[in-house]
Amino acid sequence: MDKFIVHGGVRLTGSVAISGAKNASLALMPACLLTNGALTLKNTPNNRDLGTMSRLLGSMGVGMSLEGDMLTLDSTSITSYEAPYEHVKQMRASIYVLGPLIARYGEARVSLPGGCNFGPRPVDLHLKGLEKLGAEIDVTGGYIIAKCPRLQGAHFHFDISSVGASVNILSAAVLARGQTTLTNVAIEPEVTNLALMLEQMGAKISGIGTTTLEIEGVDSLNPVVASTIPDRIEAATFMLVAAMTRGDVTLTHVIPEHLDAVTQKLIDTGALVDVSDDTIRVRMLETPEAVDITASIYPGFPTDTQAQWAAYMLTAQGASRIRDTIYPTRFGYVPELQRLGAHIETGEGYCVVKGNNKLTGATVMSSDLRASASLVMAGLVAQGTTEILRVYHLDRGYEKLESKLGALGAVIERHPTEDY
Ligand code: EPZ
């Protein structure tokens, strides 16, 4: 396991290229199972979760090759329709193979994902959606066993807006016989990235980008060369850390409209934000004003950025209330920030960050991907050095974060450690 040693007190300046979106790649990769031949994904990020998905698909016999950020996947000769627990326990998005497998091969055996430390994270919508399309679903021994010679189009309504369930059911419906109508579909950019790629492959989908998708099933799809959208959560993290250190940072390779909610809130705190087609420049010249946020589904403020917002608000004047309507218990980062001297109160589904904190470096423990980012951010403004353990959480969704921050002036060292 690695740890970071973060030296506080540095103002970040310069420019940083944002990588491809982890949560888009994880949705695009399993779509290789929907067709024979080489599906190529440009702008693929290099992080731990992508490694996990690659190992899972490889274990099923998918051939893969990576040249720079061009990932090519070929499922022509897959040998297994199974996603074993050893892979799924590392990453719940492994369940994304379920829809494509049942749609293309008529069978799948996928381990149930575990929960995680910010909620139970059920998969009932994934299973209900596939059953509505005619799949026979059995859950035994910790595994989902799905069978169906050919899925049949239907109308499925998502009771809750779910990114993962939308990905799975959309990926299945494109090969179902006849018409499928999906309502209350998630419209996160990662879902739209998948829908556009499926359309490129020959799927017949109307309503892309809206919460209602009409799908006319086809008998087969063709492999294509598609692009992964930039990672809006990595981008949001860099925008906030730039403002938090009173820096001047330009992000390149972004899609600014994916970040409207974060940009608006950042401007409300007093940051200067300049936007072009594919860049965002963030400057902060004075102490930020405290601003409340409520994490909600897209295009609302992303739940994957609320921990980073809490870190940013530690340096603001005034108190900021942070609510999360998607994961009401996603505040595992609070006790760790408190170890650095943060004044934060938590309640049912929210926390209140008191501003003007004088943070002092300490040893802290990462608990999940985005919580780890908030610890790095706080370490960058704390007095002295902060030791962050279990940075494998961070590596799941950030590509060489310490190098990117280092190029902006941060002083962060990565050390192997036996500490757990
Ligand atoms: C995706 O998770 C993301 N992961 C998460 O990012 C993100 O936090 C989340 O969407 C919300 O935006 C990937 O894309 C790989 P959901 P997912 O299904 O699909 C409930 C990160 O840091 N629900 O949209 O699992 C669920 O409990 C990760 O990159 C059901 O009730 O989230 C939650 O309250 C963390 N039944 C709500 O829906 C289901 O069958 C939204 O979850 C599925 C979900």
Side-chain angles (χ1 to χ4, degrees):
M1 294 220 193
D2 290 352
K3 68 179 176 183
F4 279 169
I5 304 290
V6 182
H7 299 265
V10 176
R11 180 175 173 272
L12 299 188
T13 56
S15 95
V16 58
I18 297 301
S19 302
K22 163 179 89 81
N23 292 348
S25 293
L26 292 175
L28 300 179
M29 288 171 72
C32 72
L33 297 167
L34 292 169
T35 180
N36 275 348
L39 175 71
T40 299
L41 303 177
K42 297 194 290 190
N43 200 30
T44 299
N46 174 17
N47 56 48
R48 198 182 165 91
D49 273 5
L50 269 293
T52 303
M53 182 61 84
S54 301
R55 278 191 300 281
L56 167 60
L57 293 171
S59 75
M60 297 164 67
V62 172
M64 276 164 287
S65 63
L66 183 65
E67 280 173 48
D69 65 9
M70 295 269 280
L71 173 65
T72 298
L73 307 103
D74 188 336
S75 67
T76 302
S77 47
I78 75 165
T79 52
S80 151
Y81 306 140
E82 177 163 340
Y85 181 61
E86 65 183 283
H87 294 288
V88 180
K89 72 182 176 188
Q90 292 180 45
M91 181 184 66
R92 58 181 277 108
S94 306
I95 196 172
Y96 287 174
V97 300
L98 182 59
L101 283 172
I102 188 74
R104 179 96 191 288
Y105 303 99
E107 59 180 287
R109 183 171 185 273
V110 175
S111 165
L112 275 172
C116 68
N117 45 27
F118 52 81
R121 302 185 73 185
V123 292
D124 56 307
L125 292 173
H126 298 245
L127 305 185
K128 282 181 194 151
L130 291 174
E131 282 175 332
K132 200 67 187 287
L133 294 176
E136 194 189 301
I137 302 275
D138 192 20
V139 179
T140 48
Y143 276 80
I144 302 162
I145 317 285
K147 283 190 174 44
C148 183
R150 176 77 191 267
L151 294 176
Q152 178 62 43
H155 178 183
F156 180 67
H157 177 82
F158 294 87
D159 291 345
I160 300 178
S161 176
S162 160
V163 171
S166 299
V167 164
N168 236 334
I169 304 313
L170 171 59
S171 300
V174 293
L175 288 182
R177 184 182 293 117
Q179 185 76 19
T180 294
T181 302
L182 301 178
T183 48
N184 197 25
V185 180
I187 57 168
E188 270 68 4
E190 296 74 25
V191 178
T192 299
N193 195 180
L194 171 67
L196 290 171
M197 183 183 80
L198 291 170
E199 190 179 49
Q200 226 185 307
M201 293 167 74
K204 292 189 172 51
I205 309 170
S206 62
I208 294 177
T210 75
T211 56
T212 298
L213 296 181
E214 296 289 352
I215 300 143
E216 185 59 44
V218 293
D219 293 334
S220 64
L221 294 171
N222 307 303
V224 294
V225 177
S227 275
T228 309
I229 57 171
D231 195 314
R232 61 193 170 101
I233 306 302
E234 183 194 22
T237 307
F238 275 97
M239 291 166 71
L240 298 186
V241 78
M244 187 170 180
T245 60
R246 307 286 184 281
D248 179 352
V249 175
T250 297
L251 285 69
T252 61
H253 301 83
V254 293
I255 298 179
E257 62 262 26
H258 288 171
L259 287 145
D260 283 350
V262 176
T263 300
Q264 193 47 59
K265 286 291 180 180
L266 198 49
I267 291 169
D268 291 349
T269 68
L272 302 176
V273 182
D274 304 297
V275 174
S276 78
D277 288 353
D278 60 355
T279 66
I280 297 180
R281 180 183 180 192
V282 175
R283 285 173 291 157
M284 193 63 183
L285 309 176
E286 74 255 350
T287 302
E289 290 297 321
V291 169
D292 297 349
I293 59 131
T294 297
S296 57
I297 60 173
Y298 193 83
F301 193 96
T303 173
D304 294 345
T305 305
Q306 60 100 330
Q308 300 91 312
W309 188 263
Y312 174 41
M313 288 293 97
L314 293 171
T315 68
Q317 51 196 358
S320 156
R321 175 183 285 259
I322 297 171
R323 289 184 58 232
D324 193 327
T325 61
I326 298 180
Y327 299 118
T329 60
R330 193 177 187 175
F331 297 99
Y333 56 86
V334 170
E336 297 305 310
L337 289 177
Q338 288 168 335
R339 287 178 50 75
L340 300 174
H343 300 298
I344 307 180
E345 287 161 18
T346 50
E348 187 59 37
Y350 72 90
C351 74
V352 176
V353 179
K354 311 270 192 232
N356 297 316
N357 289 265
K358 293 281 167 277
L359 301 178
T360 309
T363 297
V364 289
M365 181 88 76
S366 303
S367 57
D368 77 60
L369 164 55
R370 308 305 174 180
S372 322
S374 74
L375 300 179
V376 173
M377 293 170 66
L380 287 171
V381 298
Q383 201 170 13
T385 59
T386 296
E387 187 179 58
I388 301 176
L389 304 179
R390 298 187 182 176
V391 293
Y392 65 84
H393 286 292
L394 204 68
D395 294 336
R396 290 191 53 179
Y398 291 95
E399 184 178 348
K400 300 195 267 315
L401 184 64
E402 74 275 21
S403 311
K404 289 189 172 185
L405 285 169
L408 297 173
V411 183
I412 303 183
E413 300 125 25
R414 179 186 286 258
H415 296 277
T417 175
E418 293 311 309
D419 286 353
Y420 281 82

